[in-house]
Amino acid sequence: MRPDDTDMPLVLDLGPAPRPTDGPALAERLHRALITAASDVEGLEGVEGIRVTALLEGPDVSRLRLDLTGVRVPLPPDDGTTGGHSVGADPTTPVSRAVVTDAAREPGTVGRLEITANPIDLMGVPVVADIEGHQLRYAWLDDSAGQVLVELVEPDDSSPVTGHARLSAARDDVVAAVRHAATDALRGLGLELAALDVELTQPARRSVSVVASAKIRKGLLGATARLTGTATIDDSMVATLHDLSVTSGNPLVAAVLATVRGRVQRYDGRRIDLSTQLPPGMHLTDVQVTVGDQIVLAARLG
């Protein structure tokens, strides 16, 4: 299944004609369009500091580099919305999912796309990112209103995308983010998180186990709760969650956690085919997780 089943193309508005004729001009227009698009996403910060460089050769971009250092991506809102604004909701915004009519169309390809960040703040965790993709397709659209548009074309099996990605974050920063999320979740159950100890281990190259021990208070009562689980990815790029449990030696706390325990245990044994989470033309060939002072996730498309 695709992440997005809509048939409507993703279109980026680069402003009035004529088209940019060199890399610096294209980079300036892309930067301006990204800033305007980001204004529709509540809580997204630091986009003004994105650095864009491009090498334009005719209709093709031989190299496009986006440096996202300093961008801060917020937690998704609890209500499942985009915080009151949705990218593409307004057809006049530079990013839209609208069918473009009366347009002259010319195909183009990004030979090499590089996305880096040192770091980008993802939901409170500073993450160093190094992502590279090859042969990404798009089309130039010159519409009847005199605007220059770029339509992103999804890859397919006849025109696959290759590349790699590496994301790394300090273990302490990840644990701090888990502690913050657990505090909010327990508060919703009428519990207070007094302390949290998280132990991460790596049983195999594509496997991570977690043991979290939390000291929880409810009023004057205190108890310890324990959460365990393991995620493993096999050679077929199928992830399996197993050995999931939520326990507490205190009957009262155990009763309060019953809802959480039920939700967690529903995922025990669940298999997720990671390849089906990508569109056609993007084939995940390898994933590796490294757990140490840094937690590193590396993936390759081929």
Side-chain angles (χ1 to χ4, degrees):
M1 184 191 311
R2 296 181 183 182
D4 186 351
D5 288 329
T6 178
D7 293 328
M8 301 176 71
L10 181 62
V11 176
L12 188 67
D13 188 342
L14 297 188
R19 294 185 203 171
T21 57
D22 58 33
L26 174 60
E28 181 182 359
R29 292 223 200 175
L30 284 171
H31 185 259
R32 189 185 312 135
L34 290 172
I35 291 174
T36 306
S39 66
D40 288 328
V41 182
E42 187 171 328
L44 185 64
E45 300 178 355
V47 181
E48 296 83 356
I50 289 177
R51 288 174 287 280
V52 182
T53 56
L55 183 59
L56 185 62
E57 297 180 356
D60 298 320
V61 179
S62 59
R63 183 179 181 185
L64 176 62
R65 180 180 175 87
L66 305 177
D67 185 346
L68 307 184
T69 299
V71 173
R72 291 176 293 281
V73 180
L75 282 166
D78 294 336
D79 60 4
T81 70
T82 56
H85 298 280
S86 59
V87 175
D90 182 346
T92 64
T93 59
V95 175
S96 65
R97 287 190 176 274
V99 176
V100 178
T101 59
D102 301 324
R105 180 187 181 92
E106 182 177 8
T109 302
V110 177
R112 179 176 178 178
L113 170 66
E114 301 172 8
I115 301 175
T116 62
N118 190 23
I120 183 173
D121 187 307
L122 293 179
M123 298 174 288
V125 179
V127 175
V128 176
D130 179 11
I131 302 170
E132 185 173 307
H134 302 271
Q135 302 304 308
L136 288 86
R137 295 183 299 161
Y138 64 91
W140 294 97
L141 306 174
D142 300 305
D143 76 356
S144 58
Q147 295 295 106
V148 176
L149 310 173
V150 171
E151 176 188 304
L152 305 184
V153 179
E154 288 191 347
D156 55 34
D157 291 335
S158 64
S159 301
V161 171
T162 61
H164 65 263
R166 185 182 188 275
L167 305 176
S168 65
R171 179 187 186 125
D172 290 346
D173 290 334
V174 174
V175 171
V178 171
R179 183 178 294 110
H180 179 76
T183 298
D184 289 344
L186 290 172
R187 185 182 297 119
L189 297 173
L191 301 173
E192 177 188 351
L193 180 64
L196 177 66
D197 179 55
V198 179
E199 179 183 355
L200 296 171
T201 57
Q202 187 172 9
R205 187 172 76 96
R206 298 197 189 108
S207 184
V208 176
S209 293
V210 59
V211 177
S213 298
K215 293 183 179 179
I216 297 173
R217 294 187 179 279
K218 183 173 179 61
L220 298 177
L221 299 177
T224 299
R226 181 181 173 91
L227 182 147
T228 64
T230 298
T232 301
I233 302 173
D234 64 19
D235 292 339
S236 300
M237 299 296 104
V238 175
T240 303
L241 305 176
H242 53 94
D243 299 329
L244 302 179
S245 67
V246 178
T247 59
S248 176
N250 184 295
L252 178 60
V253 172
V256 175
L257 290 175
T259 300
V260 175
R261 182 167 56 252
R263 291 175 182 173
V264 169
Q265 290 179 342
R266 281 201 297 269
Y267 287 92
D268 198 18
R270 179 168 296 189
R271 293 166 56 83
I272 303 170
D273 188 341
L274 301 179
S275 298
T276 63
Q277 308 303 306
L278 299 174
M282 299 183 70
H283 304 290
L284 189 64
T285 59
D286 191 26
V287 174
Q288 183 172 349
V289 181
T290 304
V291 176
D293 291 338
Q294 296 282 319
I295 298 176
V296 181
L297 175 63
R300 183 167 295 277
L301 295 175

